[in-house]
Amino acid sequence: ADQLNAFAACDLFQKNRDMTATLFRAMPDTTFQRTGIHTESGKVSLAEMIEKYIHHLDHHLVFIAKKKASAKTANPKITQ
């Protein structure tokens, strides 16, 4: 029970992104100009936060790819 099924986690992640994108598309452009205070970055707009989130995802994808390659090396029977 300590391990989350990777396929279920990816599916949940994709569904969350899809729902978030749907919500963003329904918002007027002016919404993305609104700002808030981030504890580390200071004043940022919603558009800036979304941009950072997108690039942060790339960081995680690289990490996942490395873990996957490492798992294949440890167990050559892994095909995906």
Side-chain angles (χ1 to χ4, degrees):
D2 291 341
Q3 295 286 345
L4 180 62
N5 177 293
F7 294 107
C10 288
D11 184 54
L12 180 61
F13 183 80
Q14 182 62 50
K15 287 178 180 174
N16 184 27
R17 284 181 60 104
D18 290 344
M19 179 58 75
T20 301
T22 298
L23 293 170
F24 285 157
R25 284 188 199 101
M27 294 178 182
D29 290 345
T30 55
T31 301
F32 298 94
Q33 309 300 315
R34 295 183 68 177
T35 60
I37 305 298
H38 187 278
T39 55
E40 294 177 7
S41 304
K43 186 176 178 179
V44 293
S45 69
L46 177 57
E48 291 169 326
M49 289 192 73
I50 293 168
E51 186 72 23
K52 286 181 183 183
Y53 176 77
I54 291 167
H55 293 296
H56 185 71
L57 176 61
D58 292 339
H59 162 78
H60 285 284
L61 292 174
V62 169
F63 174 78
I64 290 167
K66 287 180 182 177
K67 292 294 265 184
K68 185 177 173 183
S70 176
K72 282 184 182 180
T73 301
N75 184 356
K77 293 180 182 181
I78 295 175
T79 59
Q80 294 184 358

PDB file of all heavy atoms in Angstrom, residues 65-78 80:
ATOM      1  N   ALA A  65      12.405   9.820 -16.620  1.00  0.00           N
ATOM      2  CA  ALA A  65      13.133   9.125 -17.683  1.00  0.00           C
ATOM      3  C   ALA A  65      14.407   8.482 -17.138  1.00  0.00           C
ATOM      4  O   ALA A  65      14.743   7.341 -17.496  1.00  0.00           O
ATOM      5  CB  ALA A  65      13.457  10.092 -18.816  1.00  0.00           C
ATOM      6  N   LYS A  66      15.111   9.172 -16.249  1.00  0.00           N
ATOM      7  CA  LYS A  66      16.332   8.622 -15.655  1.00  0.00           C
ATOM      8  C   LYS A  66      16.010   7.415 -14.772  1.00  0.00           C
ATOM      9  O   LYS A  66      16.723   6.411 -14.791  1.00  0.00           O
ATOM     10  CB  LYS A  66      17.061   9.694 -14.844  1.00  0.00           C
ATOM     11  CG  LYS A  66      17.754  10.731 -15.701  1.00  0.00           C
ATOM     12  CD  LYS A  66      18.455  11.772 -14.849  1.00  0.00           C
ATOM     13  CE  LYS A  66      19.110  12.834 -15.712  1.00  0.00           C
ATOM     14  NZ  LYS A  66      19.741  13.880 -14.902  1.00  0.00           N
ATOM     15  N   LYS A  67      14.940   7.520 -13.991  1.00  0.00           N
ATOM     16  CA  LYS A  67      14.543   6.405 -13.134  1.00  0.00           C
ATOM     17  C   LYS A  67      14.144   5.198 -13.976  1.00  0.00           C
ATOM     18  O   LYS A  67      14.480   4.064 -13.649  1.00  0.00           O
ATOM     19  CB  LYS A  67      13.378   6.808 -12.225  1.00  0.00           C
ATOM     20  CG  LYS A  67      13.733   7.825 -11.169  1.00  0.00           C
ATOM     21  CD  LYS A  67      14.693   7.259 -10.159  1.00  0.00           C
ATOM     22  CE  LYS A  67      13.951   6.739  -8.972  1.00  0.00           C
ATOM     23  NZ  LYS A  67      14.806   6.259  -7.907  1.00  0.00           N
ATOM     24  N   LYS A  68      13.444   5.455 -15.064  1.00  0.00           N
ATOM     25  CA  LYS A  68      13.014   4.377 -15.959  1.00  0.00           C
ATOM     26  C   LYS A  68      14.232   3.689 -16.576  1.00  0.00           C
ATOM     27  O   LYS A  68      14.298   2.461 -16.628  1.00  0.00           O
ATOM     28  CB  LYS A  68      12.102   4.950 -17.042  1.00  0.00           C
ATOM     29  CG  LYS A  68      11.499   3.925 -17.955  1.00  0.00           C
ATOM     30  CD  LYS A  68      10.563   4.601 -18.936  1.00  0.00           C
ATOM     31  CE  LYS A  68      10.059   3.645 -19.980  1.00  0.00           C
ATOM     32  NZ  LYS A  68       9.203   4.296 -20.966  1.00  0.00           N
ATOM     33  N   ALA A  69      15.202   4.461 -17.041  1.00  0.00           N
ATOM     34  CA  ALA A  69      16.410   3.899 -17.631  1.00  0.00           C
ATOM     35  C   ALA A  69      17.183   3.080 -16.596  1.00  0.00           C
ATOM     36  O   ALA A  69      17.701   2.002 -16.902  1.00  0.00           O
ATOM     37  CB  ALA A  69      17.285   5.007 -18.199  1.00  0.00           C
ATOM     38  N   SER A  70      17.235   3.577 -15.376  1.00  0.00           N
ATOM     39  CA  SER A  70      17.923   2.870 -14.299  1.00  0.00           C
ATOM     40  C   SER A  70      17.217   1.546 -13.991  1.00  0.00           C
ATOM     41  O   SER A  70      17.866   0.525 -13.781  1.00  0.00           O
ATOM     42  CB  SER A  70      17.959   3.752 -13.055  1.00  0.00           C
ATOM     43  OG  SER A  70      18.530   3.056 -11.973  1.00  0.00           O
ATOM     44  N   ALA A  71      15.899   1.557 -14.002  1.00  0.00           N
ATOM     45  CA  ALA A  71      15.132   0.337 -13.733  1.00  0.00           C
ATOM     46  C   ALA A  71      15.355  -0.685 -14.841  1.00  0.00           C
ATOM     47  O   ALA A  71      15.463  -1.886 -14.581  1.00  0.00           O
ATOM     48  CB  ALA A  71      13.650   0.668 -13.601  1.00  0.00           C
ATOM     49  N   LYS A  72      15.441  -0.222 -16.086  1.00  0.00           N
ATOM     50  CA  LYS A  72      15.693  -1.138 -17.208  1.00  0.00           C
ATOM     51  C   LYS A  72      17.076  -1.771 -17.088  1.00  0.00           C
ATOM     52  O   LYS A  72      17.255  -2.937 -17.410  1.00  0.00           O
ATOM     53  CB  LYS A  72      15.576  -0.402 -18.543  1.00  0.00           C
ATOM     54  CG  LYS A  72      14.162  -0.175 -18.985  1.00  0.00           C
ATOM     55  CD  LYS A  72      14.155   0.461 -20.358  1.00  0.00           C
ATOM     56  CE  LYS A  72      12.748   0.743 -20.821  1.00  0.00           C
ATOM     57  NZ  LYS A  72      12.737   1.359 -22.148  1.00  0.00           N
ATOM     58  N   THR A  73      18.044  -0.998 -16.624  1.00  0.00           N
ATOM     59  CA  THR A  73      19.396  -1.520 -16.453  1.00  0.00           C
ATOM     60  C   THR A  73      19.408  -2.597 -15.369  1.00  0.00           C
ATOM     61  O   THR A  73      20.034  -3.637 -15.515  1.00  0.00           O
ATOM     62  CB  THR A  73      20.380  -0.384 -16.090  1.00  0.00           C
ATOM     63  OG1 THR A  73      20.353   0.591 -17.133  1.00  0.00           O
ATOM     64  CG2 THR A  73      21.777  -0.898 -15.910  1.00  0.00           C
ATOM     65  N   ALA A  74      18.673  -2.332 -14.291  1.00  0.00           N
ATOM     66  CA  ALA A  74      18.619  -3.272 -13.184  1.00  0.00           C
ATOM     67  C   ALA A  74      17.798  -4.518 -13.526  1.00  0.00           C
ATOM     68  O   ALA A  74      18.066  -5.598 -13.020  1.00  0.00           O
ATOM     69  CB  ALA A  74      18.034  -2.588 -11.951  1.00  0.00           C
ATOM     70  N   ASN A  75      16.787  -4.337 -14.410  1.00  0.00           N
ATOM     71  CA  ASN A  75      15.913  -5.452 -14.784  1.00  0.00           C
ATOM     72  C   ASN A  75      15.634  -5.364 -16.283  1.00  0.00           C
ATOM     73  O   ASN A  75      14.668  -4.726 -16.695  1.00  0.00           O
ATOM     74  CB  ASN A  75      14.619  -5.402 -13.980  1.00  0.00           C
ATOM     75  CG  ASN A  75      13.725  -6.586 -14.255  1.00  0.00           C
ATOM     76  OD1 ASN A  75      14.025  -7.427 -15.096  1.00  0.00           O
ATOM     77  ND2 ASN A  75      12.622  -6.666 -13.540  1.00  0.00           N
ATOM     78  N   PRO A  76      16.451  -6.009 -17.118  1.00  0.00           N
ATOM     79  CA  PRO A  76      16.303  -5.912 -18.569  1.00  0.00           C
ATOM     80  C   PRO A  76      14.947  -6.397 -19.105  1.00  0.00           C
ATOM     81  O   PRO A  76      14.608  -6.106 -20.251  1.00  0.00           O
ATOM     82  CB  PRO A  76      17.426  -6.799 -19.101  1.00  0.00           C
ATOM     83  CG  PRO A  76      18.383  -6.944 -17.978  1.00  0.00           C
ATOM     84  CD  PRO A  76      17.589  -6.801 -16.709  1.00  0.00           C
ATOM     85  N   LYS A  77      14.162  -7.085 -18.292  1.00  0.00           N
ATOM     86  CA  LYS A  77      12.850  -7.561 -18.737  1.00  0.00           C
ATOM     87  C   LYS A  77      11.827  -6.439 -18.824  1.00  0.00           C
ATOM     88  O   LYS A  77      10.774  -6.586 -19.410  1.00  0.00           O
ATOM     89  CB  LYS A  77      12.321  -8.659 -17.810  1.00  0.00           C
ATOM     90  CG  LYS A  77      13.157  -9.926 -17.882  1.00  0.00           C
ATOM     91  CD  LYS A  77      12.591 -10.968 -16.961  1.00  0.00           C
ATOM     92  CE  LYS A  77      13.463 -12.232 -17.008  1.00  0.00           C
ATOM     93  NZ  LYS A  77      12.916 -13.270 -16.131  1.00  0.00           N
ATOM     94  N   ILE A  78      12.133  -5.265 -18.252  1.00  0.00           N
ATOM     95  CA  ILE A  78      11.226  -4.117 -18.306  1.00  0.00           C
ATOM     96  C   ILE A  78      11.241  -3.580 -19.724  1.00  0.00           C
ATOM     97  O   ILE A  78      12.282  -3.275 -20.282  1.00  0.00           O
ATOM     98  CB  ILE A  78      11.641  -3.021 -17.309  1.00  0.00           C
ATOM     99  CG1 ILE A  78      11.503  -3.542 -15.872  1.00  0.00           C
ATOM    100  CG2 ILE A  78      10.785  -1.763 -17.514  1.00  0.00           C
ATOM    101  CD1 ILE A  78      11.990  -2.573 -14.840  1.00  0.00           C
ATOM    102  N   GLN A  80       8.686  -1.135 -20.865  1.00  0.00           N
ATOM    103  CA  GLN A  80       8.069   0.191 -20.967  1.00  0.00           C
ATOM    104  C   GLN A  80       8.666   1.144 -19.986  1.00  0.00           C
ATOM    105  O   GLN A  80       9.246   0.832 -19.043  1.00  0.00           O
ATOM    106  CB  GLN A  80       6.560   0.118 -20.736  1.00  0.00           C
ATOM    107  CG  GLN A  80       5.870  -0.660 -21.834  1.00  0.00           C
ATOM    108  CD  GLN A  80       4.356  -0.629 -21.650  1.00  0.00           C
ATOM    109  OE1 GLN A  80       3.824  -0.079 -20.707  1.00  0.00           O
ATOM    110  NE2 GLN A  80       3.664  -1.218 -22.581  1.00  0.00           N
TER     111      GLN A  80
END
